């Protein structure tokens, strides 16, 4: 069973469109994340939710809107897609620990190409 | 700006050699450090984490941390062609936020 899954795996779309990416984890973790990895392989956090509550919101255009219906799901909606949004988007999850060492497990990624 | 810096490489080593991957960080508040391996077209997978000064060994992998020098390294002994990948260093200041470096490409030649 896939621990962290994302759909779709590939997404090719035109500029100006709106698209959504879905993420689900079956690890029982309480925290989920969205990362963006650009063409230079730089992995940068965008958002994080803990038990459906937004706890990390990096400097991301407000065209990006995360939504967590429950702690096992975190979706990412992107409005008015731009060329610069082309990247691989990774979902990840972790379990909060008292020791502060939360290992993050990554999904397979969604490869978004905006034409 | 809290940063994690890595040499992008590629670092080329012959099969069986020791590969040494290095990482520096700017935030002195960083408490724990993670090494992830990422194969081309795949997602990052955790190799090791370290939070105390010194060495931590796990099989062929050894992580080293020097907080005074703000330096983290990963040694891979008996390198294999299957170790060829991008290695990502990440720091955490506590809580959930990881700051990643840009990664070092490792190539192990058989």
């Amino acid at each position: 069973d896939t621990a962290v899954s994302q759909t779709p795996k590939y997404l090719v779309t035109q500029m100006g469109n709106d698209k959504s990416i879905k993420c689900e984890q079956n690890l029982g973790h309480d925290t989920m994340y969205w990362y963006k990895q650009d063409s230079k392989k730089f992995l940068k956090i965008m958002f994080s939710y803990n038990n459906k509550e937004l706890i990390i919101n990096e400097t991301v255009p407000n065209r990006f809107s995360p939504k967590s219906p429950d702690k096992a799901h975190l979706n990412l909606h992107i409005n008015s897609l731009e060329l610069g949004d082309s990247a691989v988007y990774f979902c990840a999850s972790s379990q909060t620990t008292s020791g502060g060492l939360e290992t993050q497990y990554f999904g397979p990624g969604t490869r978004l190409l905006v034409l | 700006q809290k940063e994690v810096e890595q040499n992008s490489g590629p670092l080329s080593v012959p099969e069986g050699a020791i590969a040494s991957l290095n990482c520096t960080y700017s935030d002195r508040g960083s408490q724990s450090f993670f090494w992830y391996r990422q194969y081309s077209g795949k997602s990052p997978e955790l190799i090791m984490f370290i939070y105390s000064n010194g060495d931590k060994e796990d099989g062929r992998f050894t992580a080293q941390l020097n907080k005074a020098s703000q330096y983290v390294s990963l040694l891979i002994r008996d390198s294999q062609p299957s170790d060829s990948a991008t290695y990502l260093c990440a720091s955490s200041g506590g809580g959930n936020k990881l700051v990643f470096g840009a990664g070092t490409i490792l190539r192990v030649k058989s």
Side-chain angles (χ1 to χ4, degrees):
Chain A
D1 283 346
T2 303
V4 182
S5 59
Q6 295 178 228
T7 54
K9 289 186 178 180
Y10 299 95
L11 189 50
V12 182
T13 188
Q14 298 289 328
M15 266 197 312
N17 284 351
D18 303 339
K19 291 293 179 185
S20 292
I21 307 172
K22 295 184 177 182
C23 179
E24 176 181 1
Q25 56 94 3
N26 63 7
L27 297 168
H29 289 167
D30 60 3
T31 306
M32 297 183 72
Y33 312 78
W34 278 113
Y35 285 87
K36 178 180 180 181
Q37 188 171 45
D38 60 25
S39 58
K40 295 183 178 180
K41 304 299 184 185
F42 191 55
L43 191 64
K44 188 169 183 181
I45 191 166
M46 301 172 69
F47 303 103
S48 176
Y49 273 76
N50 177 269
N51 283 318
K52 302 194 297 177
E53 180 181 346
L54 182 66
I55 57 172
I56 296 175
N57 185 355
E58 292 295 290
T59 306
V60 177
N62 57 15
R63 297 182 295 103
F64 291 79
S65 52
K67 187 169 289 186
S68 181
D70 55 63
K71 71 175 188 176
H73 296 84
L74 179 61
N75 303 323
L76 183 65
H77 187 77
I78 315 171
N79 289 325
S80 302
L81 278 155
E82 300 178 356
L83 294 177
D85 298 332
S86 296
V88 181
Y89 292 84
F90 285 102
C91 178
S93 72
S94 69
Q95 178 61 37
T96 304
T97 64
S98 58
L101 277 173
E102 292 91 15
T103 300
Q104 295 186 19
Y105 296 87
F106 285 79
T110 295
R111 284 148 186 81
L112 171 64
L113 178 60
V114 182
L115 301 174
Chain B
Q1 180 81 4
K2 299 174 183 176
E3 293 183 347
V4 174
E5 297 198 4
Q6 299 179 252
N7 188 322
S8 61
L11 172 66
S12 293
V13 299
E15 184 175 357
I18 296 175
S20 178
L21 303 159
N22 305 314
C23 168
T24 59
Y25 60 95
S26 62
D27 181 11
R28 285 198 172 273
S30 298
Q31 299 174 9
S32 49
F33 304 87
F34 301 79
W35 282 101
Y36 282 81
R37 177 177 61 198
Q38 186 175 25
Y39 292 112
S40 181
K42 300 296 185 181
S43 58
E45 55 178 330
L46 182 71
I47 299 174
M48 299 185 67
F49 63 84
I50 186 168
Y51 53 87
S52 297
N53 274 327
D55 296 358
K56 179 181 178 183
E57 187 174 321
D58 184 1
R60 295 187 297 114
F61 299 95
T62 299
Q64 299 174 318
L65 173 61
N66 183 326
K67 290 188 177 180
S69 299
Q70 295 177 242
Y71 179 89
V72 191
S73 65
L74 179 70
L75 301 178
I76 307 175
R77 289 181 299 282
D78 189 23
S79 294
Q80 301 297 310
S82 58
D83 294 326
S84 298
T86 298
Y87 288 79
L88 304 171
C89 174
S91 70
S92 172
N96 307 93
K97 183 176 176 181
L98 288 183
V99 178
F100 281 86
T104 298
I105 298 170
L106 173 66
R107 293 181 181 155
V108 181
K109 298 178 290 185
S110 58

